[in-house]
Amino acid sequence: MFYGTVVWDPWLIVAQIFCLQCVYYLTLGLFLSILVGFRVSRMSLVYFFDYATLTASTVTGWCVIASFLLSAIASAGYLVFVVERAKKCLDFSVTVFIIHLFICIVYGGWPSSVTWWIVNGTGIAIMALLGEYLCIKREMREIPITRLRSSMLTVFDLGRLEPISCEFFCRFFFINSEELLERAGYSRF
């Protein structure tokens, strides 16, 4: 994606939020089924949305906490592909957890557990900071322009191109067109 002029596209933002929310819950479900699924007789939405399951007093509670934190780490990786910009990572991370808070309120009431707030606050921090780090790392990668030039020149057989198109091609890629045209057997005049 090229980042020139910023165009405000609300449908894109809504689609990105929806996509992040879906992959967050899919990843959370995967980790819950791996870590908690073997410990309980029946998996349910209670482990997703009930604040009482996030407890440090039982082994199952610790497995649920680990699932939430691992899901936040995985979601930071999703930010790189869905959002692609480091400066937007905090906004999208907080949005994912605010939507999760609203769903938790609808499902089981206001989360009164301190553990729930600590785990979700830590999840926001992990998702935002790790997502920003990964996006910055991706944005700062070197653009391989030299490789593009050499691969494009080897694809075309310059001896078969017309003189005008060959000269245009050479000037377009900032190559010494006189030398290349002479090698291809064309003269300028």
Side-chain angles (χ1 to χ4, degrees), residues 157-177:
D157 183 11
L158 296 178
R160 294 186 188 169
L161 294 174
E162 295 295 319
I164 296 172
S165 62
C166 182
E167 185 176 350
F168 173 77
F169 178 80
C170 296
R171 288 184 190 266
F172 181 78
F173 283 99
F174 306 108
I175 297 172
N176 188 353
S177 60

